[in-house]
Amino acid sequence: MSAAYGSWPSPLSAAALAAAGIRIDGAQYAAGGIWWSESVPAERGRMRVLRQDADGPAQEVLPAPWNARSRVHEYGGGAWTVADDGTLFFVDGDDQRVHRWDPGADVPVPLTAAGAQYGGLRLQQGRLFAVREDLRPTPHERAIAEIPVDGSAADDDAAVRRIRSGSGFFAHPALSPDGTRLAVVEWGETRMPWEAAIGVVANLADGAHSAIPARAALQLEWISDDELLFADDATGRWNLHRARIGVQPEPPAPAPPAVTEPFAPADADTGGGLWVLGQRWFRILDDGRILAIRTNGSDTLALLDPDGALLRELDVPFDADLSLEDTHGSRVLVTGQGRRVTPGLWELDVDAGVARTIRGGDPVDPAWVPGARSVTFDGPHGPVHAFDHAPANPHVDADPDALPPYIVQVHGGPTAHSAGAQAGWITYFTSRGIGVLDVNYGGSTGYGRDYRARLDGQWGVVDVDDVLAAAQGLADAGIADPARIAIRGGSAGGWTVLSALVRGGVFAAGIDRYGVADLRLLAQETHDFERHYLDGLVGPLPEAEQTYIDRSPLTHADRIDVPVLILQGADDAVVPPSQSEAIRDALAARGVRHEYLLFPGEGHGFRQADTVIAAAEAELRFLGSVFGFEPTP
């Protein structure tokens, strides 16, 4: 059959998109089975924990109304862990307290008092460590904490031991094999972890500590009682490094710094933006071999010998947003997604080279999802990397005399990355005849520090130049209809959407999902984790105040002359609704066509099924009205 681009009949409804949109937060071997956590969109995005034994069916072990979700650093992560006997420890999304659910018990028991919140849980040698965040005092307090597992801290907050504390930030607690020292990643309150983070090894007996020098440390893991493996981007790529820890002298003599050396250098990143607690970029197997993610646009898996030499790269179906969750012998639990599989959880047998699907991970039909094409455009600041998802529908003959409309997608962060994976929302559009170009503008991870550093002090300049260059490149190559290119993005991506519309000239419409409109307002209202993010992206206040004013889309809203769809969560603490409402009011004052949808109960990113459905249908309806096509039901 023939149909106009945008009007192609698609089997993927908004409701099916919402039902398929699960999120997985961690996986673990325990009690003879595989455990993982996943979202339930139909239950307002609740995170449940499931268990699967041998080849039996998955069983829910954390039922409603319990919700394993952390809000530490707002983005959370590492909200649960489980002991070998099946005892589950989790952070409840409502009260942010840590709870213990014993096997066979009817209800969990609290382990921490109300008030502080926890995340990044890690159970090691029977001891429960976590990242603790207390937003009640001023300044706010954070710590790496040890939580008594017997419940003695449920009514006594002082019983939670603060091993390392302060107003800065912490991640990745790792207990030494002999149980005497704890390694952690730390960074200051005025920096982001990819800008400056070090490792610290604390003696649990007396609190003495030594530093592990690094530029942007990630994921400390013990090789032995005096050796650690960690990731750092000292050479311009996040690569593995080895640290040797000296013997702690008698107090008050200061501990000597660790001696570090490169380990398995490569022209790829083993690491990324530390937005979510609990992510793992490498794992040490029982026999000393190391499995490491290497990112250069997309992800690959490299198997290294104990000395860091490359043994081989593994041929796996997943190649995007990977995390190595846990190991058992030569088997590794991997979460992520890929160009030809849906998001999922796999058990990878490293020796056999076989990946067994545990959850999700379904192969996609290449007739509907042919796979993203990696493309590069020339931009004013250098090459611009992107992934092209072309329209595809085996039941429709495209008009040979027409070009498809396109969405230029801008990821959030901005220190983040899109790896070319298929996604339900992308197929929702491409199956209807609307292409999607996913742009990794300068500032994105996955291409080395130099590419990431292009955005230093230039947010609102380099990112906008790059998306404009990519869109123009699409049109010049005859891939997209130059009159029907829209730009879409959320959070920091929403900022780039609005900034590009202010610049004008390329995009015929914009979809702003909880985007930043006013930098000064963002600096006043955003949460602690990103309080000083703008210092590096734009400049410190008050010195750079005029730059904040000049760069903000709200300042130049009178230049926006194309239709805009604005989507916002009512409970967003990262980019509050005041941002979206300010740009809405500015557009309304000038009579610019726009639509504003506010979703109650949603934070930064949409989790509820009703919201996902409403947002998808609104975006398709909006594009149809702007680009002159009628979506087919």
Side-chain angles (χ1 to χ4, degrees), residues 306-607:
D307 293 321
L310 176 65
L311 295 173
R312 64 182 182 276
E313 289 190 348
L314 302 183
D315 184 15
V316 293
F318 33 86
D319 59 1
D321 305 319
L322 302 184
S323 180
L324 306 180
E325 305 292 354
D326 199 10
T327 65
H328 181 70
S330 64
R331 291 175 292 165
V332 183
L333 295 176
V334 184
T335 57
Q337 50 190 329
R339 299 191 196 196
R340 299 187 182 279
V341 291
T342 63
L345 164 65
W346 295 266
E347 182 182 50
L348 173 63
D349 187 320
V350 171
D351 291 331
V354 175
R356 179 172 70 95
T357 302
I358 305 298
R359 181 71 171 100
D362 300 313
V364 295
D365 186 342
W368 292 94
V369 185
R373 182 174 61 97
S374 179
V375 293
T376 303
F377 302 96
D378 292 329
H381 309 280
V384 181
H385 301 293
F387 292 96
D388 178 20
H389 301 263
N393 186 318
H395 303 312
V396 178
D397 296 321
D399 183 349
D401 298 323
L403 291 174
Y406 252 79
I407 297 169
V408 171
Q409 168 66 16
V410 191
H411 66 68
T415 311
H417 178 68
S418 293
Q422 74 80 36
W425 75 266
I426 292 176
T427 307
Y428 181 76
F429 289 112
T430 56
S431 62
R432 289 171 163 81
I434 305 167
V436 176
L437 182 74
D438 210 347
V439 181
N440 282 311
Y441 48 88
S444 302
T445 59
Y447 300 95
R449 190 175 66 235
D450 289 345
Y451 195 81
R452 194 168 76 244
R454 288 202 330 211
L455 205 61
D456 290 353
Q458 296 297 307
W459 194 35
V461 179
V462 167
D463 52 319
V464 177
D465 287 344
D466 284 358
V467 297
L468 289 171
Q472 191 63 56
L474 271 182
D476 292 346
I479 296 172
D481 183 343
R484 296 193 296 170
I485 301 178
I487 183 169
R488 175 188 189 271
S491 189
W495 152 274
T496 305
V497 167
L498 296 174
S499 299
L501 297 183
V502 164
R503 191 85 66 87
V506 175
F507 297 111
I511 299 174
D512 167 27
R513 297 164 61 94
Y514 40 90
V516 177
D518 186 328
L519 287 178
R520 289 185 299 172
L521 192 60
L522 179 67
Q524 295 169 9
E525 294 184 339
T526 197
H527 61 136
D528 266 16
F529 180 69
E530 297 182 72
R531 182 75 63 190
H532 294 278
Y533 195 10
L534 296 178
D535 292 1
L537 293 173
V538 183
L541 287 172
E543 296 86 348
E545 183 173 12
Q546 190 58 49
T547 304
Y548 279 53
I549 296 171
D550 293 341
R551 294 263 184 92
S552 293
L554 186 62
T555 303
H556 310 289
D558 60 324
R559 300 179 187 173
I560 299 177
D561 57 5
V562 299
V564 184
L565 173 64
I566 306 168
L567 309 173
Q568 176 69 48
D571 299 337
D572 194 336
V574 179
V575 181
S578 56
Q579 293 275 336
S580 291
E581 290 163 3
I583 200 72
R584 174 203 63 187
D585 294 346
L587 296 174
R590 294 182 49 251
V592 176
R593 179 181 167 190
H594 68 281
E595 184 177 355
Y596 176 59
L597 297 179
L598 182 69
F599 298 107
E602 290 286 9
H604 198 61
F606 301 151
R607 293 172 174 263

